[in-house]
Amino acid sequence: MFDPTKLIQALAQSPTLQTLYQHIDAATIIDQAITIQQIPAPTFAETQRAAYVKAQFQRLGLLEIQIDNVHNVLGRWPGTDPTRPALMVSAHTDTVFPAETDLTIRRAQDRIYGPGLGDNSLGVAALLALLELLNQHHIQPAADIWFVANTCEEGLGNLNGIRAAWETLRARLGAAIVIEGMALGHIYHAGIAVRR
């Protein structure tokens, strides 16, 4: 029987991942998260944030970049063997806060407060940080990696963004990783039930 815990432990000990881990710049990720958080993105109104992410994907060299009809942003980091099932790494761009919300950031000691910062501007910043590391270290994995900044995750969005991304990429995919800012440092390897 497949044991995801053993796979995760093995990956965590990978020399490549250990090298990348040493080059994570937390301050830059936080700055990027704040930049993203300052772009209003309530569910169904993520177009400005999508445009920002697309520009970052272009800057970092992704291929086949597109914004689909629900404003997901998708781009491919090429692997050495395009016939292998690809990995999708995603983070949702929408927040639960209305467009008119005051997005002012407040810092107190070692904490930073701001609407939508943890959920999920930090997740999108982590997605971009991973791409930055792959770019800087010229890492070409065995399989393609599809980076996806998906919309419509929250509430009435009903996961429509990730559903659309799945429909677009399903024939190419073998696995998926979802990045949530409020869960950084934790790995969940089973579905979390949500009643919608």
Side-chain angles (χ1 to χ4, degrees):
M1 184 169 134
F2 173 68
D3 183 352
T5 304
K6 288 183 180 176
L7 175 61
I8 292 165
Q9 289 170 341
L11 286 171
Q13 300 306 315
S14 154
T16 300
L17 287 183
Q18 289 295 319
T19 299
L20 292 179
Y21 184 76
Q22 299 303 317
H23 290 90
I24 292 173
D25 182 353
T28 298
I29 295 170
I30 290 169
D31 288 346
Q32 176 75 277
I34 291 170
T35 297
I36 293 163
Q37 181 264 352
Q38 292 293 297
I39 305 167
T43 303
F44 307 119
E46 303 98 325
T47 56
Q48 286 181 299
R49 200 170 280 187
Y52 177 81
V53 171
K54 180 181 179 184
Q56 299 307 304
F57 280 8
Q58 290 169 328
R59 177 180 68 82
L60 293 167
L62 284 182
L63 305 177
E64 298 181 51
I65 298 168
Q66 60 181 289
I67 296 181
D68 67 15
N69 63 349
V70 294
H71 306 292
N72 290 324
V73 188
L74 302 92
R76 182 176 63 87
W77 185 260
T80 56
D81 183 357
T83 66
R84 293 182 72 149
L87 170 66
M88 177 174 65
V89 182
S90 68
H92 72 88
T93 56
D94 60 324
T95 71
V96 297
F97 299 97
E100 62 275 7
T101 301
D102 179 359
L103 297 176
T104 301
I105 291 292
R106 180 173 59 87
R107 296 176 186 258
Q109 297 174 2
D110 62 346
R111 295 183 183 256
I112 305 170
Y113 300 88
L117 184 58
D119 186 11
N120 192 34
S121 300
L122 186 56
V124 177
L127 180 78
L128 294 173
L130 172 60
L131 180 54
E132 186 88 53
L133 286 171
L134 294 176
N135 186 301
Q136 286 176 353
H137 296 276
H138 309 289
I139 293 175
Q140 190 176 22
D144 290 348
I145 301 174
W146 281 91
F147 284 80
V148 177
N150 59 284
T151 60
C152 298
E153 190 269 354
E154 302 288 3
L156 295 177
N158 197 33
L159 303 175
N160 286 340
I162 199 66
R163 292 175 202 263
W166 169 254
E167 286 303 317
T168 298
L169 298 174
R170 69 187 306 166
R172 301 178 179 192
L173 297 179
I177 297 173
V178 176
I179 302 173
E180 279 285 340
M182 299 301 284
L184 291 184
H186 301 277
I187 297 173
Y188 301 95
H189 58 81
I192 300 172
V194 176
R195 184 182 298 275
R196 295 192 180 258

